[in-house]
Amino acid sequence: MPNIIEITDFHAPELDVYARLTENQLLNLQGPEQGLFIAESPRVIERALDAGYAPVSLLLERKHIDGEAKGIIARCEEIPVYTADFEVLTRLTGFKLTRGALCAMHRPILPDLKTVCAGARRIAVLENVMNPTNVGAIFRNAAALNIDAIVLTPACSNPLYRRAVRVSMGTVFQIPWSFFDRELPKQPPADIRILKDLGFVTAAMALEKNSLSVTDPRLKTAEKLAIVLGNEGEGLAEDTINACDYTVCIPMNHGVDSLNVAAASAVAFWELGRV
């Protein structure tokens, strides 16, 4: 029997996770590996449940109880389901941005790098990609275009931030991912050495005089390839570029020299993900 709770008090602490806690507060609610995150929309929530993520509570527009979220509620009978009409729910911060359904979920303990990369032939590496929209878009591109795993430096936006999850359409639950160890030396080559030790040829996406075209056959013949993508404003650190086996660029026209990192990832994944 579902535990349906009508919202009458907007200041109820049970609603803090949806309306009042910041992403960083959710991340560290019970420690950095046991915090919470918010999944939005029935489809995204279903993908999270399919991937084994544990729900804490649901916040639903009333019409979804017997509609799009009916199956979700059936799968989550032990958790509270907070509900009200849409006009009421819009008084909660951020609810207008959803498709009428939110689910608070436990963050998982992230796997180590060897586990994430086990069996992977093509991985993406994100260095200091700080915009959650870009992170979410890169995950969606990776899922669609044959990338087996994603590894992020600690300065990247967390893939389970609300906007990243929403933009990814739940593919953050489908692609194995983790962060490089925060205790590693800050010099980027330490990350690249780990990838090489795992057997990956490393390809830095950067505009350099000696850059290969993304269509260069040497890249496709690599048994295991790590595609390294950099920060939105500054690209990859020079030390990272120098440490990689190849520097790779996307040929462009009309004097355009670069693409948004999410757009560049789609082109690179399409070309290099087909093994």
Side-chain angles (χ1 to χ4, degrees):
M1 187 75 177
N3 181 17
I4 308 295
I5 301 170
E6 184 77 14
I7 294 173
T8 58
D9 180 5
F10 285 91
H11 300 289
E14 294 85 358
L15 300 179
D16 286 349
V17 295
Y18 299 108
R20 288 176 284 276
L21 296 184
T22 67
E23 294 285 14
N24 284 335
Q25 287 172 324
L26 288 173
L27 177 63
N28 293 294
L29 203 58
Q30 301 173 35
E33 296 295 343
Q34 288 94 33
L36 300 178
F37 71 93
I38 305 298
E40 300 184 8
S41 84
R43 177 176 294 182
V44 171
I45 294 169
E46 286 176 349
R47 286 181 172 172
L49 294 172
D50 290 344
Y53 285 75
V56 174
S57 64
L58 285 160
L59 176 64
L60 303 175
E61 187 179 352
R62 184 180 283 109
K63 71 177 184 179
H64 287 316
I65 292 176
D66 293 314
E68 287 188 67
K70 186 175 182 179
I72 295 170
I73 294 171
R75 297 174 66 177
C76 304
E77 287 191 344
E78 301 301 316
I79 67 172
V81 179
Y82 302 104
T83 188
D85 289 328
F86 180 74
E87 292 74 17
V88 175
L89 292 177
T90 56
R91 292 170 61 186
L92 292 171
T93 303
F95 196 85
K96 287 183 179 180
L97 301 176
T98 79
R99 289 189 58 203
L102 297 172
C103 185
M105 294 186 154
H106 288 291
R107 287 177 176 268
I109 296 175
L110 294 177
D112 61 30
L113 209 58
K114 288 184 179 179
T115 301
V116 168
C117 296
R121 298 193 63 189
R122 295 291 184 268
I123 69 171
V125 179
L126 309 188
E127 181 181 275
N128 303 343
V129 178
M130 300 175 184
N131 186 315
T133 298
N134 284 334
V135 170
I138 291 169
F139 267 83
R140 192 172 182 180
N141 294 340
L145 300 172
N146 300 311
I147 299 301
D148 301 311
I150 296 180
V151 185
L152 306 94
T153 62
C156 286
S157 181
N158 194 290
L160 293 181
Y161 281 171
R162 188 163 163 175
R163 183 179 292 274
V165 172
R166 180 170 70 245
V167 172
S168 81
M169 286 300 297
T171 54
V172 293
F173 310 126
Q174 298 174 302
I175 297 289
W177 62 273
S178 194
F179 286 97
F180 284 108
D181 190 339
R182 293 179 183 274
E183 302 304 318
L184 283 174
K186 292 190 180 296
Q187 290 80 5
D191 301 343
I192 301 302
R193 283 198 299 272
I194 290 171
L195 297 174
K196 290 183 177 182
D197 289 343
L198 292 174
F200 286 94
V201 173
T202 51
M205 299 297 297
L207 298 170
E208 299 287 315
K209 290 182 179 179
N210 62 342
S211 291
L212 303 180
S213 168
V214 72
T215 61
D216 193 291
R218 283 172 285 185
L219 301 170
K220 286 201 172 185
T221 57
E223 179 69 19
K224 298 168 69 174
L225 183 68
I227 303 163
V228 188
L229 298 149
N231 174 275
E232 294 89 347
E234 300 175 359
L236 290 171
E238 186 175 349
D239 286 346
T240 300
I241 295 171
N242 293 336
C244 286
D245 298 300
Y246 296 111
T247 306
V248 180
C249 69
I250 299 168
M252 300 185 203
N253 297 314
H254 302 295
V256 178
D257 63 356
S258 64
L259 297 173
N260 165 274
V261 64
S265 76
V267 176
F269 296 166
W270 165 255
E271 187 62 40
L272 301 175
R274 295 175 292 167
V275 180

